[in-house]
């Protein structure tokens, strides 16, 4: 990756944050927080920050950073002789757009600035992002796209459809901005129809709102058609298939949130998220349009797999067994916190969001671990390792599910639940998969934090906070993870697999005997922690205490058997592993039943 590509990507990400922050400034009514002057904030470069001054000040600071990065793009494009011409022109255009944005920024800071000025401000920002993205793609010749892409590529029908979808996405952003800034966002109280109105007939607030809805309907149709058509005519390019599919999924989510804007009173955070995802969709369809021209069409497309096999592979990418376990603890925490059934809407969207978060993190795990998965016997037939799903497709699938999970939970549940879910997702992907798994024998122990977060999410979804019982549930799952996983490693001989792959899993480093000792220690910790809900917390009563004591006693008994009878290790480890699955589900069931009885 060249210096120019790195700088272009940095500029693109910083520009994206600038757009999102600008949207937050608008919905929070902070666009005049620093006064009408553009440089500084009320004449000071270091003002005393308070809301809404902080929003406006940081938005301006980001604008300065993007301007400096754009200057750097022009300088690098000029210095690299091979980049002169198209790349230099794009870099200059990006800088020009930033400077024009600065002038528009002075107007938008005026109290009398109208909706048209704010819409133009956003529209130019979106064009800037598209130009920088295109420059980054062109500069990646030889890395992401062929070095001879100018002669090797030709635009296909999918590319033309992507251009149409790009126009629609841009129009959707512009009409959405104008609808919000003109105060027309609440003009229609019904969805999908606006009372007895179907089409706009003038330029009243209702007409403006209806225009945005029609643009949304047309754009959604184009993006869905693009995803289907790319899979038909460009199946030779995993990047195009993955990007177009991800854009379609996010666009469908946008429709749900657009409806929620009418059905439910959304806060500024959700409105900003709506803009953030719309910008991602715009970037995706623009990238598809550009890459279709840059990536050569294969003379012979790969043979299409049966639809059932494709769906099965993508289902496997989500690790449904792990997902079911995480949703069990999420549901248990929700029922416990409510002492009954939470509102159906909260229950539904929390479980949907949790499933998407779990599936997204799992798919990214398949992408990151594809090298070691090909080495280990038990994983070499996974979709990515087996070559049935390309790494790019798995990555885009995982990222799309992850973004969608946070988005839907923030919209339909609450911000805290969404942030906790995102934290668990990032911890699993970044801390565990990318770092701990290949760095320390304690990877499963420390990495167990990720799998312990779902009870916190469930509790937060119902109460809006994190209570002490939820923290105890977190510790229960945390202590349960090592004996559960290490028992699986012992009876399936995963130790040899991990040793061959160079992954320092505890059994591979310290041996079976030491692992059996650790299983026993963590089992004791698990049982003791499970009883804290009764003594001293008092959140559960005697019914739960009796069930937890019996379940825990049986768990300890199996751990002792495994410790004392090494000759029967495969059989006893398998028994302990299978029991650990039932144990966690039954324990959470006992929590809920006891809570309902005592309520």
């Amino acid at each position: 990756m060249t210096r120019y590509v790195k700088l272009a990507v940095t500029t693109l990400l910083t520009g994206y944050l600038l757009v999102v922050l600008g949207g937050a400034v608008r919905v929070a009514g902070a666009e005049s927080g620093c006064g009408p002057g553009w440089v500084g904030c009320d004449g000071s470069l270091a003002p005393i920050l308070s809301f809404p001054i902080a929003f406006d000040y940081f938005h301006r600071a980001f604008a300065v950073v993007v301007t400096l990065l754009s200057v750097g793009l022009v300088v690098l494009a000029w210095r690299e002789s091979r980049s002169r011409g198209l790349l230099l022109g794009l870099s200059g255009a990006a800088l020009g757009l930033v400077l024009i944005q600065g002038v528009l920024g002075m107007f938008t800071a005026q109290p009398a600035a109208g909706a048209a000025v704010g819409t133009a401000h956003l529209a130019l920002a979106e064009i800037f992002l598209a130009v920088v993205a295109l420059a980054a793609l062109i500069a990646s010749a030889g890395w992401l796209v062929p070095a001879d892409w100018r002669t090797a590529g030709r635009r296909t029908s999918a590319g033309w459809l992507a251009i149409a979808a790009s126009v629609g996405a841009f129009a959707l952003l512009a009409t959405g901005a104008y609808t919000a800034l003109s105060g027309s966002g609440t003009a229609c109280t019904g969805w999908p129809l606006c009372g007895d109105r179907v089409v706009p007939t003038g330029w009243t607030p209702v007409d403006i709102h209806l225009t945005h809805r029609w643009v949304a309907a047309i754009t959604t149709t184009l993006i869905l058609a693009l995803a289907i058509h790319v899979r038909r005519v460009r199946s030779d390019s995993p990047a195009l298939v993955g990007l177009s599919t991800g854009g379609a999924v996010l666009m469908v989510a946008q429709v749900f949130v657009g409806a929620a804007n009418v059905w439910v009173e959304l806060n500024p955070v959700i409105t900003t998220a709506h803009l953030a995802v719309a910008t991602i969709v715009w970037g995706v369809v623009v990238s598809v349009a550009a890459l279709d021209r840059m990536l050569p069409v294969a003379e012979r497309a790969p043979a299409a797999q049966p639809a059932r096999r494709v769906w099965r592979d993508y289902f496997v990418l989500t690790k449904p067994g792990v997902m079911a376990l995480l949703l069990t603890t999420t549901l248990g925490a929700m029922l416990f916190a409510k002492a009954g059934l939470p509102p159906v809407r909260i229950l539904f969207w929390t479980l949907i969001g949790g499933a998407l978060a779990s599936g997204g993190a799992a798919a990214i795990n398949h992408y990151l671990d594809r090298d070691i998965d090909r080495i280990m016997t038990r994983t070499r037939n996974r979709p990515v390792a087996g070559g049935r799903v390309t790494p790019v497709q798995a990555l885009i699938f995982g990222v799309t599910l992850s973004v969608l999970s946070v988005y839907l939970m923030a919209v339909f549940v609450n911000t805290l639940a969404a942030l906790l879910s995102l934290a668990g997702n990032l911890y699993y992907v970044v801390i565990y998969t990318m770092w701990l798994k290949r760095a320390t024998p304690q990877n499963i122990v420390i990495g167990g934090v990720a799998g312990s977060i779902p009870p916190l999410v469930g509790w937060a979804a119902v109460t809006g906070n994190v209570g002490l019982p939820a923290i105890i549930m977190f510790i229960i799952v945390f202590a349960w993870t090592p004996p559960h996983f290490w028992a699986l490693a012992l009876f399936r001989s995963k130790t040899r697999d991990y040793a061959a792959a160079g992954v320092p899993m505890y059994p591979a480093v310290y041996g079976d005997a030491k692992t059996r000792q650790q299983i026993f220690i963590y089992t004791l910790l698990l049982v003791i922690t499970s009883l804290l809900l009764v003594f001293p917390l008092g959140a559960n009563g005697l019914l739960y205490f009796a069930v937890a004591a019996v379940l825990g006693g049986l768990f300890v008994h199996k751990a002792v058997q495994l410790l004392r009878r090494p000759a029967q290790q495969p059989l006893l480890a398998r028994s302990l592993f299978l029991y650990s699955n039932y144990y966690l589900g039954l324990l959470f069931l006992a929590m809920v039943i006891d809570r309902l009885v005592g309520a």
Side-chain angles (χ1 to χ4, degrees), residues 305-328:
Q305 297 184 30
R308 182 180 299 179
R309 181 59 180 269
V310 173
W311 284 109
R312 179 181 178 277
D313 283 335
Y314 275 94
F315 182 65
V316 170
L317 282 180
T318 65
K319 297 188 178 180
V322 175
M323 181 191 297
L325 188 62
L326 298 180
L327 292 181
T328 296

Side-chain angles (χ1 to χ4, degrees), residues 53-64:
I53 292 177
F55 261 177
D56 198 13
Y57 181 73
F58 284 118
H59 178 237
R60 297 185 182 194
F62 262 86
V64 172

Side-chain angles (χ1 to χ4, degrees), residues 514-576:
K514 186 73 173 177
T515 302
R516 291 194 298 269
Q517 293 175 11
Q518 290 297 307
I519 288 176
F520 174 71
I521 292 172
Y522 276 100
T523 300
L524 288 179
L525 175 62
L526 168 63
V527 175
I528 293 171
T529 303
S530 70
L531 299 178
L532 293 179
L533 287 169
V534 182
F535 307 110
L537 195 58
N540 280 120
L542 291 178
L543 173 62
Y544 169 77
F545 175 77
V547 175
V550 172
L551 291 174
L554 187 54
F555 208 139
V556 172
H557 172 69
K558 289 182 175 294
V560 170
Q561 283 186 316
L562 179 62
L563 180 65
R564 291 182 175 179
R565 302 178 187 176
Q568 297 177 272
Q569 175 176 295
L571 179 63
L572 295 176
R574 182 176 185 276
S575 175
L576 189 148

